Amino acid sequence: MPNLGSRHVDDYQVKRATGAVQRRDRCDVSVLMPVLNEAPAIEESLSRLLCQTYQPQQILVADGGSTDGTLSILERLAAESDQITIILNEGRIQAAGLNECLVRATGDVIVRIDARSFVDPDYIERCLFALETSEAAAVGGRMVARRPAGLAARAIAVANGAPWGAGPARFHHSRKSGFVDTVYLGAFRRECVDEVGGWSVSVGVNEDAELNHRLRAQGHRIWFDGSITVSYQPRETFGALAKQYVRYGNSRAITIKRHPASVRLRQVLPAVLPVVLLLALVGGKSRSRLARRALVSHVVFLAAGASLVKQERALVRALSAFAAAMMHWSWSVGFWKGIVQFQGREPTRE
């Protein structure tokens, strides 16, 4: 088992230690995990789930056809623990795997985990407490990037955790709890997920945000708990980062076309970057001047944000600004690709 480390003392721990946490009736928890070629991370991710202070009844892992040794690791771990069940995900994509797990889940609370996500020992217990006290349909916490050794990887990790990089969504950087429009991963009341039909397989990699939008459209609420954290392994090269954010932008465009009310200002701002660039190149004199100023302001904004990063050397801070710019531009390219691709036709629902 990996060294799970320790947590700082916070209000929840104090309440738990003193017995002030109200104990809910025992409920069954099913963990859902879609995987595809995750050999470097899968064992630690599952080991952390098996070390929870509140043990899940099931850990359902949907493999989309891994070819890197992931399946061998899964089979070994499943032989050692009757909590783990391996499921074939013929659809390969994450949403299809989650739905395959969902139909086999017996828990009244669903915890959604990725193979590159590494939870603390009390993660499930905290999520159950947050579900009960917030009365929300879903809860989630902060995503905290692991800081690898390589320059590019460290810069990407910095940008992923900064509002000037990955964006102002609360789960990227905030410790302030409250109701939000979406959360990272999350724990869900099973009846609420069933009510809206599970995850959509036709919105690309935006399946979590799209599910949360449908939950809110049905009158349910989503709670962000700033005391809950999940560490994750970010991309390690700028090329992989660009591909990731192209997919993010493309999937967001599909979601917006299906649910126009889901659009947020934080998504509109990067989407206008190509428009601004076009005006800078072919607009009239005054428009070109304003567009160029806007592009320069974007660069200055990123540089200023990166300069405020503490405990990182200057080169990492500079590269983090570059990583943030790549995230914004890649996302916008994917977004417009998605808008054009699906213009005039809605993706079919499953």
Side-chain angles (χ1 to χ4, degrees):
M1 295 290 179
N3 180 6
L4 302 184
S6 60
R7 297 184 57 89
H8 62 280
V9 175
D10 58 20
D11 289 343
Y12 174 81
Q13 288 183 315
V14 171
K15 291 177 181 178
R16 187 171 184 270
T18 59
V21 171
Q22 297 298 312
R23 306 297 299 188
R24 60 178 290 149
D25 293 336
R26 179 76 194 183
C27 70
D28 288 335
V29 175
S30 295
V31 175
L32 281 53
M33 178 188 288
V35 303
L36 178 62
N37 294 328
E38 297 291 358
I42 187 65
E43 184 161 6
E44 180 183 355
S45 183
L46 286 173
S47 295
R48 286 172 174 264
L49 291 169
L50 292 170
C51 290
Q52 290 294 297
T53 56
Y54 193 109
Q55 281 290 299
Q57 181 185 40
Q58 300 171 294
I59 302 175
L60 303 166
V61 185
D63 184 79
S66 297
T67 58
D68 69 340
T70 296
L71 194 55
S72 297
I73 297 172
L74 288 174
E75 290 171 345
R76 173 171 54 81
L77 293 174
E80 297 171 357
S81 172
D82 57 6
Q83 291 169 272
I84 300 174
T85 300
I86 305 171
I87 298 168
L88 175 62
N89 174 18
E90 295 183 349
R92 291 180 66 84
I93 64 173
Q94 290 190 142
L98 288 166
N99 288 334
E100 289 289 345
C101 293
L102 184 62
V103 298
R104 295 167 174 80
T106 59
D108 44 10
V109 171
I110 300 297
V111 175
R112 185 255 198 270
I113 295 289
D114 280 344
R116 296 192 184 192
S117 301
F118 311 102
V119 297
D120 293 320
D122 60 353
Y123 177 77
I124 291 178
E125 187 173 4
R126 283 174 175 268
C127 286
L128 292 176
F129 178 72
L131 278 172
E132 185 172 15
T133 55
S134 69
E135 299 183 349
V139 301
R142 289 188 297 127
M143 57 186 302
V144 181
R146 288 184 166 184
R147 298 291 178 87
L151 282 175
R154 287 188 70 83
I156 290 168
V158 170
N160 266 300
W164 46 267
R170 196 178 295 186
F171 62 81
H172 283 300
H173 59 86
S174 179
R175 295 177 182 269
K176 182 179 179 181
S177 301
F179 290 106
V180 293
D181 57 341
T182 192
V183 288
Y184 176 55
L185 302 177
F188 302 82
R189 298 181 189 275
R190 169 65 184 267
E191 68 269 19
C192 297
V193 178
D194 286 342
E195 178 185 343
V196 298
W199 285 266
S200 171
V201 300
S202 57
V203 293
V205 295
N206 199 48
E207 75 278 352
D208 292 331
E210 197 272 347
L211 171 65
N212 287 323
H213 174 80
R214 283 186 283 122
L215 285 171
R216 291 188 297 106
Q218 291 298 316
H220 301 297
R221 296 192 293 178
I222 313 298
W223 177 259
F224 168 76
D225 188 322
S227 72
I228 299 174
T229 61
V230 182
S231 63
Y232 72 100
Q233 184 65 50
R235 297 302 188 269
E236 297 182 350
T237 67
F238 292 124
L241 179 69
K243 291 179 181 179
Q244 178 187 28
Y245 272 80
V246 167
R247 289 195 297 271
Y248 284 174
N250 184 271
S251 300
R252 175 58 68 174
I254 299 171
T255 300
I256 288 175
K257 286 191 67 65
R258 174 178 291 182
H259 307 293
S262 69
V263 68
R264 295 290 181 268
L265 179 62
R266 65 175 183 265
Q267 297 144 13
V268 173
L269 291 177
V272 303
L273 283 172
V275 178
V276 175
L277 177 62
L278 183 63
L279 288 175
L281 295 174
V282 299
K285 186 175 181 180
S286 60
R287 291 180 179 176
S288 293
R289 185 184 304 113
L290 287 174
R292 289 193 295 270
R293 288 177 179 174
L295 293 174
V296 171
S297 296
H298 180 239
V299 173
V300 171
F301 171 72
L302 298 182
S307 69
L308 298 177
V309 175
K310 299 178 180 179
Q311 298 177 338
E312 288 291 355
R313 47 182 165 154
L315 182 56
V316 172
R317 294 198 296 269
L319 288 174
S320 69
F322 175 77
M326 180 169 288
M327 291 158 66
H328 297 171
W329 282 97
S330 299
W331 191 96
S332 64
V333 168
F335 177 83
W336 287 110
K337 178 183 176 182
I339 291 294
V340 172
Q341 181 178 357
F342 293 100
Q343 185 65 39
R345 62 183 179 90
E346 288 294 322
T348 57
R349 294 188 69 88
E350 51 291 343

